[in-house]
Each structure stands twice: as structure tokens, then as C-alpha cells.
């Protein structure tokens, strides 16, 4: 399993997935800290969560644990941001 | 080629890639329209562009045209956002 994960070019995909997944943690923290979503595009996060949800389904179909876990975390992070954007529009 | 792209589960990956790529167009338009990047996390976009750059490299290694084109577009969109965030910090 670890051999498969870290051989050849796969390590690049693994690091890429890790980076694009954790990237939204600082944005979530900023939203929580400032209690503001000013400047954040609702459409961007709606499109993004739709895409990430499909990546998650694709990962399930491919039985790729890294895709499943990574995209699941991305869905949670994006949901938090979306929650605050939609709340701010009320 | 089109057969390969649209058979079975691959279409899900294709739509997923399309959505997560175009997701940042509304964010770029919002930044250009409001001339403001308030609320956007610099760390998020630095991590995101690093990850997308690695996805691009991974796509080159795998000779996947959809990964190469999609991630190239994402790099351009993220670079525009980063340019305005860094400019605003000066």
C-alpha cells in the first residue's frame, strides 16, 4: 500500500491532493476569525463543492482512498464557507 | 479519444475537473469588479496554486490532456487572484 502510494510519480499526485485539500483551511479560519465572508464569491464555492462532490464519487468508483478522504475533507471545508456566505445573505 | 473520455465513470471525472476549474472564474470576476480582495486568504491561494501546479506536473507525467489544460487554466485564474492579494498588501 505505502509502496504503491509513494512509488514514481504517484507521490506528486499525493502531495498535490494534500495541498489542494488543506488550502481551504486558512480560508475557513479567516472566515471564523473575522466572522465575515465579504469578498468571497458564492458562485465559486457552489461550483467548487459540486466539482469536489463529483471527485468524491469518482474516488468511490475508482476505490481510491486518497481521493475519497481528500475530497471528503474538501466538502466539509467548503460547506463551512458556504454556510457562512449563505447566512450573511439573509 | 471521445469514446475514452466519455465512457463509464470517466465522464464524472471530466465534469468534476471542469467544475473545480471554472469555479474560480466568478471569484476572479468579483475581484476585478470590486477591485477588492478583502476576505480572501493569501495562504489559501498560495497552497492552492502549489497543489494545482503539482496536479499540472502529474498530468504531464500521465500525458493526460484534460489534467494539463484544466490545471493550466486553474493556475492562470489563481495567479490573477494572487496578484491582486499581494498588490493589496503593499
Amino acid at each position: 500500500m505505502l509502496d504503491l502510494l509513494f512509488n514514481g510519480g504517484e507521490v506528486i499526485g499525493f502531495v498535490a491532493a494534500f495541498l489542494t485539500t488543506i488550502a481551504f483551511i486558512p480560508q475557513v479560519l479567516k472566515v471564523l476569525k473575522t466572522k465575515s465572508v465579504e469578498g468571497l464569491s458564492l458562485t465559486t464555492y457552489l461550483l467548487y463543492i459540486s466539482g469536489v462532490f463529483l471527485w468524491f464519487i469518482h474516488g468511490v468508483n475508482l476505490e481510491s482512498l486518497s481521493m475519497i478522504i481528500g475530497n471528503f475533507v474538501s466538502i466539509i471545508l467548503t460547506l463551512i464557507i458556504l454556510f457562512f456566505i449563505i447566512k450573511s445573505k439573509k
Side-chain angles (χ1 to χ4, degrees), chain A:
Chain A
M1 173 68 185
L2 279 176
D3 270 0
L4 185 72
L5 216 56
F6 291 108
N7 74 349
E10 273 312 296
V11 71
I12 296 179
F14 185 77
V15 178
F18 182 73
L19 287 172
T20 50
T21 299
I22 64 160
F24 291 93
I25 294 177
Q27 186 66 69
V28 167
L29 294 177
K30 187 163 192 161
V31 167
L32 294 175
K33 196 176 162 191
T34 61
K35 311 246 182 242
S36 166
V37 288
E38 206 186 312
L40 299 187
S41 161
L42 173 63
T43 318
T44 285
Y45 284 96
L46 286 176
L47 287 168
Y48 194 73
I49 203 167
S50 310
V52 170
F53 179 72
L54 291 183
W55 276 128
F56 176 80
I57 301 293
H58 200 44
V60 171
N61 286 341
L62 297 175
E63 298 181 359
S64 161
L65 197 61
S66 58
M67 281 179 79
I68 293 170
I69 296 172
N71 288 299
F72 181 77
V73 173
S74 292
I75 289 170
I76 301 296
L77 294 172
T78 315
L79 268 181
I80 297 172
I81 295 172
L82 273 174
F83 171 79
F84 283 99
I85 296 179
I86 292 166
K87 197 179 153 199
S88 78
K89 296 212 180 266
K90 279 190 179 164

